[in-house]
Amino acid sequence: MTQSFSEIFKQLKQPISFTTCCSLFLNFQHSKSQESRLVILYILYSHYASLPLEQNPFLDFFLNLLENGTTIERHCIDCILEGSLSQISHSTPQQLCAEGFSIKKEQRDPHKIDLLKSKVTRLIDDPTVIILNDTIVELLSKTVTNRTLTLSEHEALSKERLSDYPLEDYVQPNQLPSLIEFNQFLAFDILSLLLKSDQKPRYLQAILDTNVTSQSIETIHHILVHQKMNLSQDFIHYYISNSIRSCEQLEGLKRDKQVKQVARFIQSLLEEKVIVMTEYFIEIQAFCISFMRIK
């Protein structure tokens, strides 16, 4: 084979179906060509590389090869487990078989292997079981530690189906303000899921009990206008009252900025018919008169 692994992968009919992958898996069992077997391993991993390793449907096969595969196949699986297999993308199967892996193999972590095996066993016993990604669980815990997540951490969470996770275990009602303040865009998705839980009243109360900030206003606006969540008029009324009151507690440029944002917030809710003017007329009128000099 004179083509590189990546070239072979790209030439496969896209999108590659699970059935195609299963056919490749069966071919692996019957193939005596080491080059072909390495290509199949590369494809079975690369096709699911965007998912956490434990969600790769051929993980059990990979783990079995750690014990039953050839030396070069075991090295290949080690690279899969380490996430470094992409480094052979520009090599050809022929080169790899002749020269071996240039990637330095790290010390195999028995605990990691045992953990993956236990997850595979659970999936085999119950295909409907949801296996949580330990890295994602750790990141969810970090979202409420008064720290803004890095771009890579945020991307990792955005790729995950967060509805599978017991979010109320990681974000307590009293921690919600921290999530909104430091990881606002993530809060857009997490809050909408939290508000579908039995703890919805406690999360809403936590928002009302906290000072209204720019991030808070944007989050509530997103929930109401873009995600069309059905929140009680009592909550919305209290939140708008708190928003107006927050302007009175600020001074200078901070107050001007807050007034403008609250005004846009209320105007948007009126335009989207989330609220009706007749129910808020007195408060909105007083707000406009109090800050009429701010443009």
Side-chain angles (χ1 to χ4, degrees):
M1 295 185 183
T2 58
Q3 293 177 304
S4 68
F5 284 96
S6 60
E7 289 172 338
I8 296 172
F9 182 63
K10 289 177 182 177
Q11 284 185 355
L12 289 175
K13 185 178 180 180
Q14 300 291 339
I16 304 173
S17 66
F18 176 66
T19 302
T20 301
C21 290
C22 289
S23 297
L24 290 172
F25 166 72
L26 293 175
N27 288 337
F28 181 94
Q29 305 291 355
H30 300 290
S31 176
K32 294 182 179 180
S33 167
Q34 186 65 84
E35 294 177 13
S36 298
R37 287 163 70 95
L38 289 176
V39 168
I40 292 172
L41 287 177
Y42 181 87
I43 293 171
L44 294 183
Y45 168 73
S46 298
H47 181 53
Y48 297 98
S50 61
L51 298 174
L53 182 58
E54 52 264 36
Q55 293 182 20
N56 188 307
F58 298 96
L59 177 58
D60 184 48
F61 167 54
F62 296 154
L63 294 175
N64 283 331
L65 278 182
L66 281 178
E67 300 174 1
N68 304 315
T70 63
T71 300
I72 196 169
E73 288 168 359
R74 291 198 300 271
H75 198 152
C76 182
I77 299 302
D78 281 324
C79 290
I80 287 176
L81 298 181
E82 295 163 8
S84 59
L85 191 67
S86 60
Q87 294 183 38
I88 69 167
S89 296
H90 300 297
S91 301
T92 67
Q94 187 178 26
Q95 287 175 328
L96 202 61
C97 289
E99 303 170 8
F101 278 82
S102 60
I103 307 170
K104 184 179 179 180
K105 184 171 67 173
E106 297 182 9
Q107 185 69 30
R108 192 177 294 167
D109 184 354
H111 174 70
K112 181 178 180 180
I113 302 299
D114 290 341
L115 184 61
L116 288 172
K117 285 182 178 179
S118 68
K119 290 182 176 181
V120 167
T121 301
R122 288 171 59 196
L123 283 172
I124 292 174
D125 291 340
D126 182 5
T128 63
V129 71
I130 296 173
I131 302 296
L132 302 183
N133 186 327
D134 295 333
T135 302
I136 298 301
V137 169
E138 183 179 354
L139 286 179
L140 285 170
S141 300
K142 289 181 179 179
T143 61
V144 294
T145 57
N146 294 348
R147 178 177 79 83
T148 302
L149 297 183
T150 64
L151 181 60
S152 60
E153 290 173 333
H154 193 281
E155 287 179 349
L157 284 171
S158 65
K159 292 178 181 178
E160 197 73 13
R161 191 168 65 179
L162 296 179
S163 58
D164 288 342
Y165 291 75
L167 295 175
E168 56 270 26
D169 291 347
Y170 311 121
V171 183
Q172 300 293 323
N174 65 312
Q175 296 173 316
L176 181 59
S178 175
L179 170 66
I180 293 174
E181 201 66 22
F182 291 92
N183 294 287
Q184 175 192 338
F185 293 105
L186 190 60
F188 289 169
D189 297 323
I190 291 181
L191 180 56
S192 63
L193 295 172
L194 290 173
L195 294 181
K196 295 176 183 177
S197 72
D198 295 337
Q199 299 296 316
K200 176 180 178 179
R202 293 184 61 201
Y203 286 110
L204 292 178
Q205 190 59 49
I207 294 173
L208 294 178
D209 291 342
T210 308
N211 292 335
V212 175
T213 63
S214 173
Q215 289 82 356
S216 170
I217 293 174
E218 290 177 4
T219 301
I220 298 302
H221 179 266
H222 185 86
I223 292 293
L224 290 171
V225 174
H226 298 289
Q227 297 188 352
K228 307 292 184 183
M229 287 212 70
N230 184 24
L231 301 183
S232 71
Q233 285 299 318
D234 283 344
F235 168 80
I236 298 174
H237 206 139
Y238 275 117
Y239 187 79
I240 290 176
S241 297
N242 287 350
S243 299
I244 293 173
R245 197 175 301 114
S246 71
C247 298
E248 300 167 353
Q249 297 168 349
L250 297 173
E251 296 180 355
L253 293 177
K254 288 185 178 180
R255 183 186 62 182
D256 294 354
K257 181 180 178 181
Q258 186 85 337
V259 168
K260 292 176 182 179
Q261 186 168 18
V262 171
R264 288 194 299 269
F265 174 61
I266 295 174
Q267 182 180 8
S268 179
L269 296 187
L270 288 169
E271 291 174 350
E272 296 293 329
K273 295 181 172 55
V274 176
I275 61 174
V276 292
M277 175 62 83
T278 53
E279 296 180 6
Y280 293 84
F281 180 77
I282 295 176
E283 287 174 281
I284 294 176
Q285 184 183 55
F287 173 69
C288 293
I289 293 173
S290 298
F291 301 104
M292 61 186 301
R293 295 182 180 179
I294 299 176
K295 297 181 180 180

